[in-house]
Amino acid sequence: YMDGLTNENSLFRLMESLLVHTGETAADLYPDVIEELVITVGDKQVENDFPGVLQYIVSGNTVLLVDGYERALVVSTEGWEHRQISEPVTQTVIRGSHEGFTENIMTNITLVRRRIKDANVWVERKKIGRITKTNVAIMYINGIVKKNVLQEVRSRLEKIDIDGILESNYIEEFIQDKKSNIFPTINNSERPDVVAAAILEGRVAILIDGTPYVLVVPAGFTQFLQSAEDYYHHSDYGLLRVLRYLSVLISVLATGIYISVLTFHQEMMPPVLLVSMAGQREGVPFPTFVEALMLEIVFELLREASVRMPRAVGTAMSIVGALVLGEAAVTAGIVSAATVI
């Protein structure tokens, strides 16, 4: 076995059981006898291939070799350290479950099964990655999921050929429809209730060992504008979902409409607003398009800095940096106040 990958209690119970039977004659200690009577912890199986034995050892199992016999007894004793269940970081809610997935795939499967106590919740496991041999599981409800969707997920996973899988995005890039598509077809979540709701709708969840983010396929456009919290409030709360659609339109179209109106169609603006805009842009040396493009780039730089820098500095960078830079740019006459808005 490998120290650090095995559960110490399971290993101690296994050694204790073997020591108890050392007084028996060697003729009685056949592998079959050891397998049935001596080994009392974990799942047991027989392995005849030496590379397979090595793979079991580096996966946290304990292998028992008996002199004179050409097979090994493998005992499941995995027990490495992992993060405890905590609140999701990126998908927080005011009302609802505060449990989030962890980096342990068995814990994640259990969190979903605890919410859907039905025998038709099926889990198919496989290993992906020539070197890492990462555990991957697909989870669905038999009888609800469409057979063609399930088969498509299986076939795309089987085609993955890579040295290692370290995070769910590795698999996402392999199984997505088109890399050039601006609309994602795969959703991800670190909330067990969201994944449980998805498989209840007939979707397939893909769980990857080593990451708290679970992939959900297929994903529709409306899924990305939904929150788990929407279903935990009164139906009137659904008006906020309409506001999200409006916000998407504003974020996509506002800059383009602003540039086109201010540059080519000034007659569409009220005279008072047009005079105010012209007064603001009196000392700005750049065209409206260049001005807006500069601000978009600066905004992305601030966002990246706030995410990548240490947490204590990142918060100040995102808030104070945007205020100071925006005010300074307007005062210096590089951009107009309306463009900043």
Side-chain angles (χ1 to χ4, degrees), residues 8-245:
E8 293 183 357
N9 293 328
S10 299
L11 189 62
F12 176 77
R13 286 161 53 196
L14 174 62
M15 297 299 297
E16 186 180 38
S17 180
L18 288 172
L19 291 173
V20 168
H21 291 78
T22 51
E24 299 181 7
T25 60
D28 293 335
L29 288 179
Y30 289 102
D32 295 336
V33 177
I34 295 176
E35 182 180 358
E36 295 296 330
L37 301 179
V38 180
I39 301 176
T40 58
V41 293
D43 298 329
K44 298 168 286 188
Q45 50 190 319
V46 176
E47 179 61 48
N48 300 316
D49 186 37
F50 185 70
V53 170
L54 290 179
Q55 186 59 47
Y56 277 118
I57 293 176
V58 298
S59 298
N61 298 281
T62 299
V63 175
L64 182 64
L65 302 172
V66 181
D67 190 20
Y69 298 95
E70 297 181 351
R71 53 180 178 169
L73 297 176
V74 181
V75 186
S76 177
T77 56
E78 302 100 323
W80 50 79
E81 295 294 329
H82 59 87
R83 182 170 60 93
Q84 298 299 316
I85 298 174
S86 58
E87 185 174 358
V89 178
T90 59
Q91 297 177 328
T92 58
V93 295
I94 298 175
R95 179 175 179 177
S97 172
H98 290 272
E99 288 182 338
F101 288 126
T102 69
E103 286 75 15
N104 188 296
I105 190 172
M106 290 304 302
T107 302
N108 296 342
I109 292 174
T110 304
L111 287 174
V112 178
R113 282 194 178 277
R114 201 177 70 184
R115 285 165 170 79
I116 308 177
K117 302 178 182 67
D118 189 87
N120 289 317
V121 178
W122 288 12
V123 178
E124 299 179 11
R125 296 179 174 87
K126 57 186 66 186
K127 294 183 182 294
I128 301 179
R130 290 189 298 266
I131 298 177
T132 60
K133 301 292 192 302
T134 305
N135 291 320
V136 176
I138 59 176
M139 198 170 191
Y140 57 91
I141 299 180
N142 185 46
I144 296 181
V145 65
K146 287 186 177 181
K147 299 297 182 182
N148 57 341
V149 172
L150 181 60
Q151 187 57 40
E152 184 68 22
V153 173
R154 289 171 179 162
S155 63
R156 295 194 185 190
L157 290 177
E158 290 293 337
K159 294 177 182 177
I160 296 178
D161 185 20
I162 190 175
D163 286 342
I165 301 292
L166 302 178
E167 213 277 330
S168 59
N169 185 64
Y170 283 65
I171 291 182
E172 183 174 350
E173 291 186 357
F174 272 103
I175 67 176
Q176 65 185 355
D177 288 341
K178 295 179 181 179
K179 293 184 179 180
S180 59
N181 192 356
I182 63 173
F183 297 105
T185 56
I186 301 174
N187 195 10
N188 65 79
S189 177
E190 59 174 338
R191 295 186 58 85
D193 54 345
V194 172
V195 174
I199 65 175
L200 282 171
E201 295 173 352
R203 307 184 193 276
V204 180
I206 304 175
L207 301 94
I208 300 94
D209 196 22
T211 175
Y213 289 92
V214 175
L215 303 180
V216 177
V217 293
F221 177 74
T222 56
Q223 273 190 279
F224 297 94
L225 297 174
Q226 294 178 359
S227 170
E229 202 173 6
D230 293 350
Y231 298 94
Y232 305 151
H233 289 273
H234 194 267
S235 58
D236 293 343
Y237 198 77
L239 293 175
L240 286 181
R241 189 176 297 179
V242 178
L243 184 61
R244 293 190 198 120
Y245 282 92

Side-chain angles (χ1 to χ4, degrees), residues 319-338:
I319 300 175
V320 180
L323 293 174
V324 171
L325 286 179
E327 183 66 26
V330 173
T331 305
I334 299 176
V335 295
S336 64

